Amino acid sequence: MLRTDQLHIDWPLMVGLLTLSFISLFVLYSAGGEDLGMVFRQVLRIIMAFAVMIAVAQVAPSSLMRWSPYLFIGGMILLLAVWGVGVIGKGAQRWLNLGLFQFQPAEIMKLAVPMTLAWLFTKHPLPPDLKVLGLAALLLGFPIILVLKQPDLGTALMIAASGLVVIFLAGMRWRLIGLLTLAAAAIAPLIWSHLHAYQQKRITTLFDPWADPLGSGYHTIQSTIAVGSGGIFGKGWLNGSQSQLEFIPERSTDFIFAVFSEEFGLIGVSILLAVYVFVVVRGIYIAYCAKDTYARLLAGGFALTFFFYIFVNIGMVSGVLPIVGVPLPLISYGGTSMVTLMAAFGILMSIHTHRKLLSH
Amino acid sequence: MSQIRIKDYADEARIFYARLFILSIVILILVCLLLGRIIYLQVMNYDHYVTLSQKNRISVLPIIPVRGLILDRSGAVLAQNFLAYTLEIVPDQAENVPDLLRELGKLVQLTPKDLKRFTRLRKDRKGFESLPLRHRLSEVEAARFAVNRHRLRGADLRARLQRHYPMGSLGVHLVGYVGRISDSDLKRIDKAAYRGMNYLGKLGVEASYEDILRGRAGYEQIETNAHGRRVRLLDRRKPRAGKNLYLSVDARLQAVAEQALGTRRGAVVAMDPKTGGVLTFVSTPTYDPNLFVNGIDEASYSLLRESPDKPLINRALAGQYAPGSTIKVFLGLAALEFGRKASKRTFCPGYFTLRHSRHRYRCWRKSGHGSVDLRRAIVESCDVYFYDLAAELGINKVYDFLTGMGFGRYTGIDLDGEKRGLIPSPEWKRRIHNQPWYPGETVITGIGQGFTLVTPLQLAHSLSFIANRGFGMQPRVVYAIEDRANKVIELLKPVPSDLNPVKNKQHYDVVIKAMTDVVHGPSGTGRRIGYNAKYKIAGKTGTSQVIGIKQNEVYKEKNVAERHRDHALFVAFAPVEDPQIAIAVIVENGGHGGSAAAPIARKVMDYYLYKVLPQKALGVTPFVAPPEDKVKKRQLGRG
């Protein structure tokens, strides 16, 4: 008999993730227009993602740390390949067609960047000095620039968040943080001018969505209407008029939270947030319990990045953040992002369950 | 001088825990922020967003009610609706409007008039509105368009109920017409009542009974998806069709009267004196109301508007004329009422002078009538008698009596646009002209000249007081309202006029006797219509001066331009013993009342009383009388 602790599963985390997956299936059935085929495909993805998670959990953190730089280099090569194909094809390119299946290399970087940064900081005394920070900035900057070129603002933002969190946790000095914040504020107009017109519009729209209710303001207006009209108790499962009548765009992917809150109301939203917070807190707890720097930084980084995804997505759907393509983690319909996310949870489990073995 | 730092694990852990703690606090704050935002949307602004989501998905489409029919007293249709295909264009949806028009021109016939009207509409209306291009497409044209519709973006066929007046110009001044709702209409109407509607009554019965004819729009509340496509029906209220109106007017009698007037300008108003029901209501020239339904084109309109014959004027309702000698019957009554004996004689030497004045007021008979009493004064229309009478009564008594007979005031007919006419008084002259009243003005008031103005409708209405020997009814053109939904016909109760200036009923008999002799007596001015009549007619001729004649000038019809000839008037009722029709006829520039106006009245009365048709009968359908028990009596006041 195989004992569960030999499977390296962290049960509290597992329960949280399973709960989210179940919620996902229910909401998808409604958001997808009661398409059972869609739900079935999501079930397959969830099974695959959990399998990946459990597989990753078997790998000891020490091995992960060793592989971190290679994962990063591999990811960079793939990103450059995508960029190259894009240049030749003269168009936006995110996917790499590997013949059998399509693959989005940017997803690897969501894992590779925090892992490589944690690896870097473990190799050097902390708080990091300027040389190490410069190196970290390069490791973070290159993939972000390549992903931005695709252009995929959402993924770039998520990679940036995961990297910055690790840098912050590593103990970057406050004075430096303050200086960089000032510098960022100074070059913000420059960045603004380099954004695509549609990206600029997404941000300006946030302040006055009704200026262009059928154009750039449409997403924000319709999703806030959906959320607001849900009320305390919601309109009921399969009864959200905003979602069922297709007023909400991308209702099964990026805007699935609008469907959820319209149909389940404040009560449903509170439960969902509670489950999310439980998962995040468990992640933080794992980081707290971790025994070495690499595990700590990585666990903390993943737990907080996970929260960042949630915050950006809900903030965007409820109209307080600009619209960027960030899915609601584990609820939105979609393959690659779920697999990467579950791999990250696999790493968290690995960190937590290999802890006892390490202490021997 | 690089400094070699050694990893201090305890210190690293301490820093990490501090940072982790800070980020946990940040997470806590952000979770509260999100929750706050959700509560703000779902709890505090719930009503607002529910309303918005309802508005999003529910659209209300009006269902246009069928407009009520207008029928004559026997059920002949004067105004109806038919389903017509209209070709409409939404300019915003078309890629290129001129190209589209060119393409459409190959499929359906587009006249320059159509294009002109469309260009004008396009200027006035908004680009997303559906604008009619061609009305009344033939089946072939509609089919040809339908086949090619896929490549004609922005153009579409609409089946719409369209108003049609099957009798064309017949009774246009009575029936009126509907027209497109204009910008000025929009300012006065209740927009909610007209949702989805394009037409409203502009004139005549169509305008005066607009609220009854229009009906009430229904609606369909449908759920639509984000693409505007219909998902399902949520609620439906059936439209309530407009009610049908039965006019007291007889279409055939109307045709008889119009044909009798022919190409002359004038008016004929006949009513049943006992009920006030208007039997015929003619103003000539007429025009085709169908021109106005879809918006008249500029050329046709200016032709109507600028015609010297002024066909757009409703002469029967709003034409104000000097009553001429027709006023004499009323003044005769006044004389009796104020105590002058019918037998009292006045000598007519062919002219009348006021004391202390050398001005001669001429009688139409230059040689004079000699000694005349009231009867002969009416029969032969002696002017001198009535000059003298008016001078004796004085203007105030004349004013009081004529006003009491319904002149100078609204008759209360159920049509909009009635004119009041004018009975002058010293007070009026001071107010309007700021001049004193001269005795000579009283004198000419006696023969219906000077300031006095009456409408043909007023003449017929006031005459019915005499015909009824003491009471009169308010004129009415609509006598029944049919509710198709309940299959109920309401008969409108006649409304009496609250006027009755004559105390002694016998005075009527004196005047009626004289009026009978006007037509049937050997010296009556209207005798040419009386000699072969099977029934007794009481009438009075009149001639209304258009231009003034100088003191020593002689009026000769031949010398005067047609436009300046006198208007011919005739008022009558028949049969004398039991009057069933009271009629007033005016022929503009027709000359003498006895020769120009009286024969028209005779034709109308002949047809009404004995169904004698001067011309071939019109093809109108017979009216099936409603079952008695379905008839509900109700009095309808004027809105």
Side-chain angles (χ1 to χ4, degrees), chain A residues 124 168 172 222 242 318, chain B residues 5 7 19 37 42 56 226:
Chain A
H124 296 90
F168 180 80
M172 183 181 178
Q222 294 302 340
Q242 285 287 103
S318 60
Chain B
R5 285 176 62 198
K7 276 182 95 74
R19 292 290 166 98
R37 171 69 179 174
Q42 295 194 320
N56 243 346

Side-chain angles (χ1 to χ4, degrees), chain B residues 594-609:
Chain B
S595 56
I600 296 170
R602 170 73 195 274
K603 283 176 189 165
V604 172
M605 291 189 287
D606 274 357
Y607 179 77
Y608 184 65
L609 297 171

Side-chain angles (χ1 to χ4, degrees), chain B residues 366-383:
Chain B
K366 253 167 70 183
S367 55
H369 291 89
S371 176
V372 288
D373 62 359
L374 176 61
R375 193 197 64 83
R376 218 186 123 208
I378 289 175
V379 173
E380 294 178 25
S381 201
C382 175
D383 290 339

Side-chain angles (χ1 to χ4, degrees), chain B residues 401-612:
Chain B
F401 189 83
L402 290 180
T403 312
M405 289 298 285
F407 291 109
R409 59 168 80 205
Y410 297 115
T411 63
I413 192 172
D414 50 345
L415 286 176
D416 297 336
E418 186 185 4
K419 281 270 163 53
R420 193 155 62 163
L422 175 70
I423 300 299
S425 67
E427 188 272 323
W428 163 83
K429 201 180 170 199
R430 211 174 301 116
R431 183 160 44 84
I432 300 297
H433 295 287
N434 197 24
Q435 280 172 3
W437 182 265
Y438 299 112
E441 288 164 345
T442 310
V443 173
I444 58 170
T445 303
I447 61 159
Q449 302 290 351
F451 299 112
T452 314
L453 291 174
V454 301
T455 67
L457 176 68
Q458 280 179 328
L459 277 176
H461 172 238
S462 298
L463 189 67
S464 64
F465 282 96
I466 299 175
N468 290 335
R469 292 166 175 81
F471 71 93
M473 306 303 276
Q474 286 185 19
R476 283 284 181 271
V477 296
V478 174
Y479 87 90
I481 296 174
E482 181 186 27
D483 188 344
R484 271 172 295 185
N486 309 332
K487 301 212 164 54
V488 169
I489 294 184
E490 297 170 32
L491 290 185
L492 305 184
K493 230 166 100 181
V495 182
S497 298
D498 50 358
L499 302 167
N500 191 12
V502 179
K503 303 279 176 299
N504 190 338
K505 295 274 185 281
Q506 285 170 351
H507 295 160
Y508 286 113
D509 297 328
V510 175
V511 172
I512 289 169
K513 175 78 182 62
M515 286 176 77
T516 311
D517 286 347
V518 167
V519 178
H520 300 283
S523 61
T525 50
R527 63 185 180 277
R528 63 181 287 168
I529 67 160
Y531 72 96
N532 61 350
K534 291 182 201 151
Y535 52 94
K536 280 261 158 53
I537 301 165
K540 180 72 194 83
T541 58
T543 304
S544 151
Q545 268 178 28
V546 175
I547 53 165
I549 301 157
K550 295 198 187 81
Q551 271 291 294
N552 296 313
E553 206 182 335
V554 179
Y555 174 82
K556 278 208 177 111
E557 212 168 272
K558 275 177 278 178
N559 298 348
V560 182
E562 203 263 341
R563 296 270 159 198
H564 293 153
R565 279 183 209 157
D566 295 342
H567 295 327
L569 288 93
F570 187 70
V571 296
F573 58 86
V576 170
E577 303 76 26
D578 177 26
Q580 286 163 36
I581 179 168
I583 186 167
V585 178
I586 184 157
V587 182
E588 284 188 11
N589 315 114
H592 290 290
S595 56
I600 296 170
R602 170 73 195 274
K603 283 176 189 165
V604 172
M605 291 189 287
D606 274 357
Y607 179 77
Y608 184 65
L609 297 171
Y610 288 98
K611 297 285 179 278
V612 178

Side-chain angles (χ1 to χ4, degrees), chain B residues 124-144:
Chain B
D124 297 347
R125 303 296 185 87
K126 297 195 174 65
F128 55 78
E129 286 185 74
S130 191
L131 310 175
L133 174 64
R134 236 306 289 284
H135 293 282
R136 302 181 65 173
L137 269 74
S138 69
E139 296 277 326
V140 176
E141 285 175 320
R144 220 183 292 148

Side-chain angles (χ1 to χ4, degrees), chain B residues 75-301:
Chain B
V77 178
L78 300 174
Q80 65 182 10
N81 313 295
F82 72 96
L83 198 64
Y85 286 113
T86 302
L87 183 58
E88 301 196 351
I89 290 182
V90 181
D92 280 358
Q93 286 175 9
E95 277 154 32
N96 182 323
V97 174
D99 284 352
L100 181 63
L101 291 178
R102 214 168 304 124
E103 284 300 308
L104 288 171
K106 293 175 194 162
L107 301 170
V108 302
Q109 199 197 340
L110 294 178
T111 63
K113 265 187 194 174
D114 292 327
L115 295 172
K116 231 166 148 187
R117 189 181 49 200
F118 178 75
T119 313
R120 208 185 59 208
L121 271 176
R122 234 189 120 188
K123 243 182 281 163
D124 297 347
R125 303 296 185 87
K126 297 195 174 65
F128 55 78
E129 286 185 74
S130 191
L131 310 175
L133 174 64
R134 236 306 289 284
H135 293 282
R136 302 181 65 173
L137 269 74
S138 69
E139 296 277 326
V140 176
E141 285 175 320
R144 220 183 292 148
F145 172 81
V147 171
N148 290 286
R149 178 178 1 218
H150 62 93
R151 57 182 192 87
L152 300 165
R153 242 167 63 87
D156 210 350
L157 275 187
R158 300 264 156 108
R160 287 215 156 133
L161 280 177
Q162 194 167 332
R163 200 67 161 166
H164 179 62
Y165 304 96
M167 304 229 183
S169 65
L170 185 84
V172 59
H173 294 287
L174 169 74
V175 177
Y177 53 79
V178 298
R180 292 205 152 259
I181 297 174
S182 67
D183 289 341
S184 57
D185 291 330
L186 279 176
K187 279 178 200 132
R188 69 182 168 82
I189 59 173
D190 171 18
K191 288 191 196 70
Y194 283 89
R195 273 199 69 161
M197 294 185 215
N198 295 306
Y199 301 109
L200 57 67
K202 298 269 188 182
L203 209 67
V205 172
E206 290 274 31
S208 302
Y209 283 86
E210 168 69 15
D211 290 343
I212 292 171
L213 287 168
R214 184 180 61 239
R216 194 186 64 193
Y219 61 80
E220 251 179 4
Q221 214 178 39
I222 57 168
E223 189 171 291
T224 55
N225 66 11
H227 316 294
R229 267 195 298 275
R230 182 187 179 118
V231 179
R232 69 191 156 119
L233 183 70
L234 296 175
D235 191 14
R236 186 188 153 91
R237 189 179 79 180
K238 277 204 282 186
R240 198 173 58 207
K243 293 173 182 169
N244 294 342
L245 298 180
Y246 284 95
L247 305 189
S248 50
V249 170
D250 183 329
R252 280 169 291 201
L253 189 66
Q254 181 83 8
V256 166
E258 283 186 13
Q259 281 168 16
L261 260 170
T263 56
R264 291 173 289 182
R265 297 177 306 282
V268 177
V269 175
M271 55 189 273
D272 181 342
K274 292 193 180 68
T275 65
V278 172
L279 304 172
T280 185
F281 193 87
V282 178
S283 172
T284 54
T286 57
Y287 53 92
D288 186 356
N290 291 308
L291 286 173
F292 286 85
V293 173
N294 294 316
I296 189 164
D297 60 282
E298 196 57 49
S300 310
Y301 187 61

